[in-house]
Amino acid sequence: MKALLVAHHYPPHVGGLELVVQRQAYSMSENGYRVVVLTSLPDSTQPPDDRPDVEVIRIACSHAFERLFFIPFPLFSPRLICEAWRQLKGADVVHIHDVFYLSSWVVALLAAIVRKPMLLTQHVAMVEHSSALVMGVQRLVYATVGKWIFRKSRSIIVYNENVRTFLRAQGVPERRILFLANGVDTGLFRPAAGEERLGIRRRFGLPQDRPLVLFVGRLVEKKGFQILLDARDFRFDLVFAGPGTIPERGRVNGVHWLGPLDQPQTADLYRACDLFAFPAIGEVFTLVMQEAMASGLPVLTTDDPAYAGSMVSGHIILCRRQAESFRTAINDLLADPARLHDLGSRSRELALRHFDWGSNVSRMMKAYSDVLRPQS
């Protein structure tokens, strides 16, 4: 069986979606599928580290939107159409990641023409943005091509309640929405052992004797890194890991910018820090939050109604999306070592019970089996 996975970005481009697609590709290959990933050629000097059992086809494109506006929307060359058509002819199933991208539109249209069963993972719903133009484009996409792809997908995977609610509002029947807990490698992402934390801090050039508050993600508005930066305080240091432009006001003592890191480096960095803060908007219980919890870190994030009654309710600290709210929560937690330790331990326990990638693969494979079953 051949599966064609379609994603606008894929490692070495840094991002949660990219890592999810890569893990799916590897898991499917291990379960007997021939896997082809169709994606963009990254604007990166870091060489790809692809496994030989997964074929990755990278199409030349322009990354102008990402460079100018921090919007990851590659503009593909016409080769995308030819390569997609060639790969679709031999594919048994097509798995598209998110409806918002040009690669998704092209492949969905061609898949409909050749009548290939299609599975969709919708990673986000509407994302609040300060630009009225960006908000308008989102609404236009979801009202047109997005709604059409929702209708054509036999099953739609979601990772949080916000997206499930959004899909229902778009008219997607509940029976076609599959809720899966995203997963992480709980062997790679684990708490520090013994003196390991101090050694990692030395490697990254981080202070040995300061509380460290970590942020992992792209340095863009929706991730909220600027809110955390404004929450800085003399009682702790901030550590930022991820691609993007460092603001001039961030080049101060007590703030450390490490740039994009690979997965093993990121896993080490979690073990070096004391807690994880993520003031994002429109992103509920993201991959980096799961990685932090698997690493035994308490998690602070933006208050969102979707957390009410969820599995992480009571296990994470919710803050208003304001610098003062995050600063107060961070200081309160650092001032209470027993609570800090308890939250970290509960984070790890929850991750082992619900987020281990190996235990989630079987549900994903069943989704593929269901999609491949002939429709009556």
Side-chain angles (χ1 to χ4, degrees):
M1 301 289 283
K2 175 183 171 182
L4 177 63
L5 308 189
V6 182
H8 66 295
H9 284 313
Y10 189 80
H13 192 279
V14 177
L17 180 149
E18 293 88 322
L19 295 173
V20 168
V21 179
Q22 187 180 61
R23 279 205 306 271
Q24 286 187 352
Y26 292 167
S27 297
M28 293 184 65
S29 177
E30 291 160 3
N31 279 271
Y33 279 84
R34 179 190 163 208
V35 180
V36 176
V37 179
L38 190 61
T39 187
S40 62
L41 184 67
D43 184 15
S44 171
T45 57
Q46 183 179 343
D49 184 25
D50 298 331
R51 281 185 8 184
D53 56 335
V54 173
E55 181 182 1
V56 182
I57 300 172
R58 293 180 168 90
I59 307 295
C61 62
S62 167
H63 293 280
F65 277 93
E66 189 161 13
R67 286 196 300 269
L68 297 174
F69 308 112
F70 309 108
I71 298 173
F73 189 89
L75 298 171
F76 289 84
S77 77
R79 183 186 163 221
L80 173 65
I81 300 172
C82 301
E83 194 60 53
W85 183 260
R86 187 171 74 87
Q87 294 300 329
L88 277 166
K89 288 192 293 185
D92 296 286
V93 62
V94 180
H95 190 159
I96 290 174
H97 281 267
D98 216 284
V99 301
F100 201 74
Y101 301 99
L102 188 59
S103 51
S104 301
W105 308 343
V106 169
V107 176
L109 176 61
L110 296 179
I113 291 172
V114 295
R115 298 180 181 275
K116 297 293 182 179
M118 189 165 68
L119 184 74
L120 170 69
T121 295
Q122 186 59 28
H123 291 259
V124 297
M126 283 285 295
V127 177
E128 292 298 322
H129 199 281
S130 59
S131 167
L133 176 60
V134 172
M135 294 299 294
V137 169
Q138 286 188 80
R139 293 188 184 96
L140 178 63
V141 169
Y142 287 130
T144 54
V145 65
K147 182 164 286 191
W148 179 80
I149 295 176
F150 293 153
R151 190 169 67 248
K152 288 294 183 180
S153 301
R154 293 193 183 177
S155 184
I156 304 177
I157 294 172
V158 300
Y159 294 129
N160 63 65
E161 286 294 336
N162 271 3
V163 180
R164 178 150 65 182
T165 301
F166 173 73
L167 290 176
R168 286 198 296 251
Q170 296 292 312
V172 178
E174 182 68 34
R175 68 179 182 279
R176 290 201 288 115
I177 301 174
L178 175 62
F179 184 91
L180 289 181
N182 207 343
V184 298
D185 182 342
T186 54
L188 177 63
F189 294 95
R190 58 170 178 78
E195 298 298 313
E196 186 180 20
R197 171 175 293 191
L198 295 179
I200 296 171
R201 288 189 175 200
R202 279 194 294 270
R203 289 207 309 274
F204 282 109
L206 298 172
Q208 301 282 302
D209 56 352
R210 294 276 292 166
L212 299 183
V213 179
L214 177 62
F215 170 97
V216 176
R218 290 185 297 119
L219 304 182
V220 294
E221 181 182 2
K222 74 170 185 174
K223 303 289 185 180
F225 85 98
Q226 73 284 359
I227 292 174
L228 187 60
L229 179 59
D230 289 340
R232 65 185 183 275
D233 190 276
F234 71 92
R235 285 166 284 196
F236 55 83
D237 280 19
L238 295 173
V239 181
F240 293 89
T245 302
I246 300 172
E248 282 303 317
R249 63 189 175 87
R251 299 181 185 276
V252 294
N253 291 335
V255 181
H256 310 272
W257 304 92
L258 302 184
L261 303 176
D262 62 24
Q263 282 278 277
Q265 290 173 318
T266 303
D268 279 346
L269 185 59
Y270 284 116
R271 288 193 283 276
C273 296
D274 297 282
L275 57 88
F276 183 77
F278 195 64
I281 189 169
E283 300 191 20
V284 175
F285 202 44
T286 61
L287 187 64
V288 292
M289 292 169 63
Q290 290 179 303
E291 292 171 349
M293 294 185 78
S295 303
L297 293 186
V299 170
L300 288 72
T301 192
T302 307
D303 193 0
D304 190 294
Y307 286 116
S310 71
M311 70 176 71
V312 296
S313 179
H315 293 268
I316 61 177
I317 296 175
L318 301 176
C319 307
R320 294 190 309 277
R321 198 169 187 260
Q322 301 170 357
E324 183 58 37
S325 179
F326 273 85
R327 182 186 301 114
T328 299
I330 291 168
N331 280 321
D332 287 349
L333 192 54
L334 291 175
D336 190 345
R339 185 175 176 226
L340 186 74
H341 180 269
D342 179 62
L343 274 174
S345 298
R346 286 162 54 194
S347 288
R348 176 65 178 175
E349 291 169 3
L350 190 72
L352 290 174
R353 285 201 309 271
H354 297 288
F355 310 147
D356 182 67
W357 177 254
S359 64
N360 291 336
V361 169
S362 59
R363 292 194 68 201
M364 186 185 72
M365 298 313 301
K366 183 180 183 303
Y368 272 83
S369 299
D370 292 344
V371 167
L372 287 165
R373 188 178 300 123
Q375 291 184 310
S376 56

